[in-house]
Amino acid sequence: MSNPTGMAVGPTGMAVRLENVSKSFDGVLALDEVSLALPAGTMLALLGPSGCGKTTALRLIAGFERPDTGLVEVNGRRVASASSMVPPERRRIGLVFQDLALFPHLSVRANVTYGIRRDPDQQVRADELLELVGLADDAERMPHELSGGMQQRVALARALAPRPDVLLLDEPFSSLDQAMRTQLRAEVREILREARQSAIFVTHDQGEALTVADQVAVMTRGRVLQVAPPEHIYAEPATPYVATFVGVANLVPGDVRPSAAETRFGPVPLIGPGSRELSGHGLVLLRPEHFAIAEAPDGPAEDGGWEVIARRFSGSEILLEVRAADGQRLWVEAGGRVRHLGIGDHVQVTLREIETVAFGRRASGSAEATIELPIIEPARSRPAR
Ligand code: ATP
């Protein structure tokens, strides 16, 4: 079997597969029964806070670590289990790690051809890749003459040169400034798409994961909580932790019935398979863009209304934190005619016509799930669009 680029595709159609992989270091469980599958030609982001096991997962796939239990397959071929281990150089894997520097004494072209120097077509391949990464006119330059973003594109071309079955990228943009980062991640996405390259990249930046990947896997404490396409994971997160990690999340108490919840803003239709099993007291996910706000013309309402207690401006958007008299706080989006609102202003908050998910007690179950939230302050994470 082959995909449109001519790269071999294993019998499973999966570029990478992890089955029940666990890995401990000195008693610390870095990966806890992780199962993942990357369809050939797609991009997966491993997203999670520091220490959740992202890099360990990548290192296990690359062959730098051996799993304690479970198995790893690359392109349908078993490359690691508790009893077998294919060495990294025989796994057909390309690496773009943050600290994997270019060879400083070699030109751009020589860096790109380094891994294929015995290939008679190496110059043709280098021309093709330099064209792909937009560096066709820079082939003879030396790494120190290039910007950080250009150097990362050379690293990408170098990793792609041997036509790896899968490319692994570990925080590939983290050393770049914000503008370069935004530009390069869009470029890398297009480059990998065009090459139909299977890739897994690690990031702790949810905006990056949502904008670059076809599928996002959210991890915490060595476990994968959910794997889904970016828009799905944002709209229908499986747990409160995922909801909060992929964007700003207001978790508002509600009386949850199958397919709808009664909240202080009125009834809210629920979506997702999990919602059908819910019953009783729960938490309803409301994103900042789910609300409309307006200035309260006569100051505080009789019941106290909502008061702005924080304002966050990030250029393209403004988020306001508002508080009700009973202490309920919300992050709401404030664009257009309410851009000028600030701390101390009184506002009216209404819910738009939306559908969302709720978390809480299962109709059939007894105990309410313990709600675990990311340690990051939601206010610091940006909502994705
Ligand atoms: P970061 O974003 O900070 O790199 P991460 O999500 O990639 O974090 P890992 O580097 O995979 O997380 O680490 C997961 C856990 O395993 C952490 O508790 C870490 O300290 C531990 N760990 C990872 N590698 C080793 C090692 N070689 N020796 C001992 N402990 C390790």
Side-chain angles (χ1 to χ4, degrees), residues 25-26 28-30 48-57 65 171 202 204:
F25 297 101
D26 306 325
V28 175
L29 191 56
S50 183
C52 72
K54 309 180 293 290
T55 301
T56 301
E65 305 287 355
E171 303 269 3
V202 151
H204 60 266

Side-chain angles (χ1 to χ4, degrees), residues 1-3 9 42 63 73 113 133 157 203 216 231 284 297 312 350 374:
M1 241 197 294
S2 69
N3 73 8
V9 175
T42 67
E73 286 176 2
T113 54
V133 301
T203 179
V216 177
E231 292 190 20
V284 180
R312 192 147 50 95
T350 48

Side-chain angles (χ1 to χ4, degrees), residues 175-193:
S175 58
L176 305 171
D177 64 59
Q178 189 59 41
M180 176 65 82
R181 205 180 159 120
T182 308
Q183 185 193 335
L184 193 68
R185 70 191 185 199
E187 285 176 15
V188 167
R189 179 188 163 87
E190 285 319 305
I191 291 166
L192 297 184
R193 276 262 150 87

Side-chain angles (χ1 to χ4, degrees), residues 82-166:
S83 57
S84 64
M85 184 82 174
V86 174
E89 65 279 8
R90 291 185 32 223
R91 291 194 180 193
R92 297 193 46 80
I93 276 174
L95 302 171
V96 181
F97 282 9
Q98 197 191 323
D99 53 0
L100 211 71
L102 299 177
F103 302 115
H105 59 292
L106 297 182
S107 68
V108 166
R109 177 183 290 280
N111 263 281
V112 173
T113 54
Y114 187 83
I116 51 169
R117 53 197 183 283
R118 282 186 264 294
D119 181 343
D121 294 329
Q122 57 175 277
Q123 297 308 332
V124 177
R125 178 75 177 141
D127 288 339
E128 197 178 286
L129 285 164
L130 290 170
E131 186 72 41
L132 183 71
V133 301
L135 293 174
D137 296 335
D138 303 285
E140 306 316 322
R141 296 174 78 184
M142 300 300 284
H144 71 267
E145 299 174 299
L146 308 177
S147 70
M150 290 165 96
Q151 289 185 21
Q152 276 301 56
R153 283 188 269 153
V154 179
L156 188 63
R158 183 176 65 177
L160 291 173
R163 301 180 197 275
D165 287 340
V166 59

